[in-house]
Amino acid sequence: MGNTLRKVLLPSIMLVLAYGFWISPDFKEISAGVAIFLFGMLALEEGFRAFTGGILEKVLRKSTNRMWKSLTFGFTAATVMQSSSLVSVITISFLSVGLIGLFEGLGIVFGANVGTTTGAWLIAGFGLKVKISAYAMPMLVFGVMLIFQKSKSMKGVGYILVGLGFLFLGIHHMKEGFEAFQNSLDLTAYAMEGLAGILVFTLIGIIATIIMQSSHATLVLIITALSVQQLTYDNALALAIGANVGTTITAVLGALSSNVEGKRLALADVLFKVAAGIVFIALMQPIMGFVDIISSLIGLADDDYTMKLAVFHTIFNLAGVIIMVPLINPLIGLVTQLFKSEPDIHAQPKYLNEASLEFGDTALEALRKETARIYERSIDIIAQGLSLDKADILSDTKLKNVIKAHDKAVEFNIDEVYEHEIKSLCSAVLDYTNRLNVDPVTARQVSRIRLANQSILIALKDVKHLQKNMLQYINSDNAHISSEYNILRQRIAKVIRKLESIRSGEVSATSILSLDALKLTLEKNVSLLHERLDVLIRDGHISADMAISLMNDSNYTYSIINSLIQINHNYLKSEEGSETAAEHMIALNREEINSVLTGNDKIADDGKRRV
Amino acid sequence: MKFNKLLKKLKLYLDADAEQLQQEDEGLSKVLKKLKKKEQALQSAIEKERDDEERELLEQELNIVHSQRKKGIGLLSEIRKKNGAE
């Protein structure tokens, strides 16, 4: 039912939008503005992603590791850019790629709210308006030029510029689209006294800012209206409060394309501004008195309402930040509660707990269970990375038929699951092993568990590399190359299936020794591929490029299989007993396996020498 | 219990190295028995298998098990020699 609804929903929305575009050019322009803006967000995130783990991350971490530093960072950025919403949007993209945390992000946004008040002073004092949107076009041009460069950081800067350019362009189109509504906004028509007036003008401020996509634009409007006495002073203050709330729309729009952290930040920003707005509306009269005191202290005339508005705007944001900074943790708690991240059953270790850490044996058992769990999940990821299905690989169906049934390349982002699940689990295992204090025998077993986890990570990285050409070639028109890549897939699948039967004890109790047969097959397949590759190139069935890809990918396949065997080898070795010790003694080394492969068996003699 | 067995137990108790050798002996014997069974199972599986590719894989595995047994037997006889010498 839900699935059908999802299938119908997207085309329905598109149809409604298309109809809207047909009947209203303004609506079309606004929607295009939103689309361009969101695309800008994606480009911005792509740009910042290039700097994760690099200098930007270091700079950000150093400049936001304390609350006062985050506040200063936000204040400076908003003062320079003359836009708190732009700072919020960039902060959301920092958060989305994990460059900073929610705590630091909120610090920046709060700082930006104070920074943006400098705008009111500039407008009221000098009639000055910094119009950063004029830079959108050059940004796009320079950005695209940089994207075409080879260097990763150049590309990153390019994407950031293009992202900012699109953000401005999007905002520009939204403004253009709303212009029709803006012209019909006559403030004198709503002039009202008392609380009702304050509430109505707050609402007008919110709507005007949403329409004009800029609290500065609203402030210009308020100041102009004030100077020609179209507006009473307290209504102007209410408009400024509304403008402050309405400006969060940009952050909310930006959060649409971001992950849960970005959404939390946007929500926290909205909550902060709405709460501050409510407090100021409730305390409007005493605050107006306070503004008068400050104004006379800095030598403003009693009727200099435009400058008084700037004072009010500053007090409003400054007081909001002073009140909210101590409440930042409850605020984070609230938004985390409201925006729960997707439940991720894999990202948290299941068996590693403090209690099992106390005893060597239980700790080892916990580590073994956790590793087995990570391995199971990794097999699932490897299967998907090969455009296969784990259940099918482990079924009784002939592998040739399994490969045939999955002959279409399916995109699967290994990096994402690697980063969010496997890497964090493996580091939890490593962290746990570092905290263990055990006897030398258990320490040896623990170190094998560590090695098994290391091999899991290597295998996944190799699948990622293999995936690149494989996705292209399994659907190739050239039957020879697609067949070779299917052989590679089948080979990995076969090893996974065999390892599963060894692990489940189907083969025999001599699990470690069963791995030797797999090692033999691995070595044999390498020489077989080389022979086949010669024929394929000689007969002109595949191009030189294909041959190079195939050679590289056959090495990745070798490494994946080897890692899979190593995982199980180390996992099984971590179980100590007289029989497993005997199995280790009997297990063949690479040289011995090669002598079986060539039919030149000297094992008995070698074995005698080893004792 | 016969006197010789008692003597052997006493010797094991006093000599940690001998105990380790004894453990290795027991471990190897058990694994070798399992390998023998596995070898027989593989042989009968090869006879039944009709798919050439699968049969070749089983034969490879049989070769491996055979080599492992040979190696194991060599190791066991060395251990027993050492045990006898002590």
Side-chain angles (χ1 to χ4, degrees):
Chain A
M1 178 70 184
N3 217 6
T4 328
L5 192 71
R6 221 171 296 145
K7 274 182 192 164
V8 176
L9 198 63
L10 184 67
S12 314
I13 292 173
M14 285 176 138
L15 270 174
V16 170
L17 282 174
Y19 179 69
F21 298 158
W22 186 43
I23 57 165
S24 163
D26 289 330
F27 177 64
K28 187 167 64 186
E29 182 124 30
I30 295 164
S31 306
V34 174
I36 294 170
F37 180 90
L38 290 178
F39 187 75
M41 276 302 289
L42 292 178
L44 204 60
E45 278 173 23
E46 182 70 34
F48 286 130
R49 194 164 288 131
F51 294 101
T52 45
I55 187 135
L56 182 68
E57 189 164 354
K58 274 186 207 151
V59 170
L60 273 176
R61 200 176 300 140
K62 280 203 170 172
S63 45
T64 59
N65 59 1
R66 298 272 164 78
M67 182 40 80
W68 69 266
K69 284 190 185 176
S70 301
L71 289 170
T72 316
F73 186 89
F75 176 84
T76 319
T79 309
V80 173
M81 292 188 194
Q82 278 304 301
S83 166
S84 66
S85 32
L86 191 63
V87 176
S88 306
V89 164
I90 294 173
T91 311
I92 287 172
S93 53
F94 283 157
L95 261 177
S96 288
V97 295
L99 281 169
I100 53 167
L102 191 55
F103 187 82
E104 292 80 11
L106 274 174
I108 296 176
V109 169
F110 287 173
N113 283 321
V114 182
T116 193
T117 58
T118 54
W121 289 97
L122 291 174
I123 301 163
F126 311 105
L128 188 74
K129 174 94 179 79
V130 179
K131 201 178 174 193
I132 207 166
S133 57
Y135 304 122
M137 298 297 170
M139 273 179 175
L140 286 174
V141 176
F142 293 131
V144 169
M145 280 169 79
L146 289 175
I147 287 174
F148 283 118
Q149 301 305 308
K150 276 184 184 162
S151 144
K152 196 183 161 197
S153 46
M154 285 279 205
K155 267 184 202 288
V157 174
Y159 274 112
I160 292 171
L161 282 179
V162 166
L164 288 173
F166 276 127
L167 286 188
F168 294 139
L169 199 65
I171 291 172
H172 169 78
H173 281 288
M174 284 188 247
K175 275 184 190 170
E176 294 273 303
F178 273 123
E179 219 149 56
F181 305 98
Q182 193 182 335
N183 292 337
S184 60
L185 203 68
D186 179 14
L187 292 172
T188 46
Y190 306 98
M192 236 182 270
E193 291 292 319
L195 184 67
I198 291 173
L199 289 176
V200 167
F201 273 85
T202 306
L203 194 66
I204 294 173
I206 295 174
I207 296 167
T209 311
I210 292 174
I211 289 174
M212 292 186 283
Q213 282 292 304
S214 161
S215 60
H216 278 175
T218 314
L219 276 178
V220 172
L221 197 77
I222 302 167
I223 287 166
T224 322
L226 247 182
S227 59
V228 293
Q229 283 154 6
Q230 262 193 346
L231 199 63
T232 61
Y233 173 54
D234 45 356
N235 283 349
L237 299 187
L239 268 178
I241 294 175
N244 236 29
V245 177
T247 192
T248 52
I249 185 72
T250 322
V252 172
L253 268 181
L256 285 181
S257 68
S258 94
N259 63 7
V260 69
E261 285 284 290
K263 288 187 173 74
R264 283 174 184 160
L265 183 80
L267 179 66
D269 192 24
V270 173
L271 287 178
F272 158 63
K273 282 180 174 160
V274 169
I278 292 171
V279 170
F280 268 68
I281 288 172
L283 303 172
M284 188 60 110
Q285 288 309 321
I287 286 166
M288 276 165 74
F290 186 61
V291 170
D292 286 341
I293 295 168
I294 299 281
S295 301
S296 61
L297 276 177
I298 56 171
L300 295 179
D302 273 354
D303 58 349
D304 193 353
Y305 291 123
T306 50
M307 289 305 278
K308 274 188 176 178
L309 183 77
V311 173
F312 173 79
H313 195 231
T314 308
I315 292 174
F316 176 70
N317 279 294
L318 203 61
V321 171
I322 291 169
I323 295 166
M324 285 314 284
V325 166
L327 299 173
I328 209 159
N329 282 324
L331 184 64
I332 290 176
L334 180 67
V335 291
T336 315
Q337 272 286 316
L338 291 172
F339 267 124
K340 288 206 170 93
S341 42
E342 300 244 322
D344 194 349
I345 52 161
H346 299 289
Q348 291 300 320
K350 192 176 169 186
Y351 300 102
L352 310 180
N353 50 48
E354 294 296 319
S356 56
L357 200 63
E358 295 293 319
F359 309 99
D361 285 350
T362 39
L364 184 66
E365 194 48 33
L367 278 169
R368 282 173 55 79
K369 278 186 175 168
E370 198 62 55
T371 306
R373 187 169 156 261
I374 302 173
Y375 174 76
E376 295 278 330
R377 176 68 183 133
S378 305
I379 293 301
D380 189 21
I381 297 167
I382 292 172
Q384 290 187 67
L386 299 173
S387 300
L388 293 171
D389 183 72
K390 184 182 169 188
D392 288 346
I393 293 178
L394 301 181
S395 69
D396 291 331
T397 319
K398 281 201 171 249
L399 278 171
K400 267 184 194 164
N401 297 336
V402 173
I403 301 287
K404 254 185 215 165
H406 296 273
D407 61 347
K408 294 274 175 291
V410 182
E411 288 277 351
F412 176 70
N413 191 347
I414 290 188
D415 256 344
E416 200 176 298
V417 268
Y418 176 86
E419 287 295 330
H420 291 124
E421 290 183 32
I422 305 300
K423 205 171 150 188
S424 58
L425 285 177
C426 284
S427 37
V429 167
L430 286 187
D431 187 43
Y432 191 84
T433 58
N434 288 339
R435 289 164 65 201
L436 277 177
N437 187 13
V438 287
D439 59 88
V441 178
T442 316
R444 211 166 48 236
Q445 289 159 293
V446 167
S447 113
R448 280 171 193 145
I449 288 289
R450 250 197 311 254
L451 287 173
N453 279 284
Q454 209 175 335
S455 299
I456 289 175
L457 295 176
I458 296 172
L460 289 179
K461 279 276 173 197
D462 286 333
V463 174
K464 185 194 142 193
H465 293 306
L466 171 67
Q467 201 189 22
K468 202 177 147 201
N469 291 323
M470 196 198 69
L471 289 177
Q472 180 193 342
Y473 287 132
I474 51 177
N475 285 346
S476 168
D477 291 338
N478 183 329
H480 296 280
I481 193 75
S482 65
S483 148
E484 285 304 318
Y485 273 88
N486 280 333
I487 290 174
L488 296 185
R489 291 205 295 163
Q490 191 176 332
R491 222 178 268 167
I492 298 171
K494 193 172 243 174
V495 171
I496 291 174
R497 186 179 275 188
K498 185 81 182 166
L499 284 171
E500 195 58 30
S501 66
I502 292 172
R503 283 162 55 79
S504 59
E506 277 172 29
V507 175
S508 79
T510 54
S511 310
I512 293 174
L513 296 177
S514 303
L515 297 175
D516 282 352
L518 281 177
K519 290 179 196 164
L520 176 79
T521 324
L522 177 66
E523 298 300 332
K524 196 172 181 183
N525 282 333
V526 173
S527 48
L528 279 178
L529 176 82
H530 284 301
E531 285 168 22
R532 254 198 338 272
L533 203 61
D534 284 343
V535 177
L536 286 169
I537 298 171
R538 198 177 52 227
D539 296 350
H541 291 313
I542 59 172
S543 66
D545 270 356
M546 286 175 178
I548 288 168
S549 299
L550 189 57
M551 269 192 275
N552 286 334
D553 292 331
S554 122
N555 285 336
Y556 285 130
T557 308
Y558 180 93
S559 175
I560 293 163
I561 295 175
N562 194 36
S563 297
L564 288 173
I565 296 172
Q566 284 309 316
I567 297 164
N568 285 279
H569 182 79
N570 282 309
Y571 176 77
L572 293 167
K573 256 186 155 181
S574 68
E575 197 180 37
E576 204 84 31
S578 62
E579 271 183 66
T580 37
E583 283 189 51
H584 300 157
M585 289 162 74
I586 295 176
L588 307 182
N589 59 33
R590 200 169 176 181
E591 198 188 330
E592 289 164 343
I593 286 171
N594 278 331
S595 59
V596 176
L597 189 64
T598 51
N600 185 15
D601 196 355
K602 296 174 191 165
I603 280 164
D605 299 337
D606 289 347
K608 278 175 193 169
R609 271 203 303 276
R610 269 179 55 167
V611 175
Chain B
M1 200 178 276
K2 283 184 181 174
F3 180 71
N4 274 350
K5 269 196 172 178
L6 271 173
L7 204 64
K8 207 174 172 182
K9 283 253 171 194
L10 183 70
K11 197 179 163 189
L12 279 177
Y13 181 73
L14 296 172
D15 191 344
D17 280 350
E19 190 189 340
Q20 200 198 334
L21 283 174
Q22 184 61 28
Q23 271 182 1
E24 283 181 356
D25 185 322
E26 280 170 14
L28 277 171
S29 305
K30 279 182 189 165
V31 173
L32 280 171
K33 266 182 202 160
K34 283 179 185 168
L35 279 177
K36 193 171 184 180
K37 274 186 189 165
K38 192 174 174 183
E39 203 173 6
Q40 285 164 350
L42 278 169
Q43 257 158 355
S44 71
I46 290 167
E47 280 163 25
K48 284 177 201 160
E49 185 60 63
R50 289 184 180 179
D51 187 315
D52 287 347
E53 223 174 287
E54 286 297 323
R55 197 169 50 244
E56 199 186 328
L57 281 174
L58 289 172
E59 278 165 0
Q60 271 178 27
E61 201 170 344
L62 181 65
N63 286 339
I64 287 283
V65 176
H66 189 69
S67 302
Q68 286 168 339
R69 273 196 66 209
K70 258 169 115 178
K71 186 175 173 180
I73 290 165
L75 289 167
L76 190 63
S77 64
E78 281 294 316
I79 287 169
R80 287 194 174 157
K81 254 187 218 170
K82 273 192 179 177
N83 246 345
E86 276 175 20

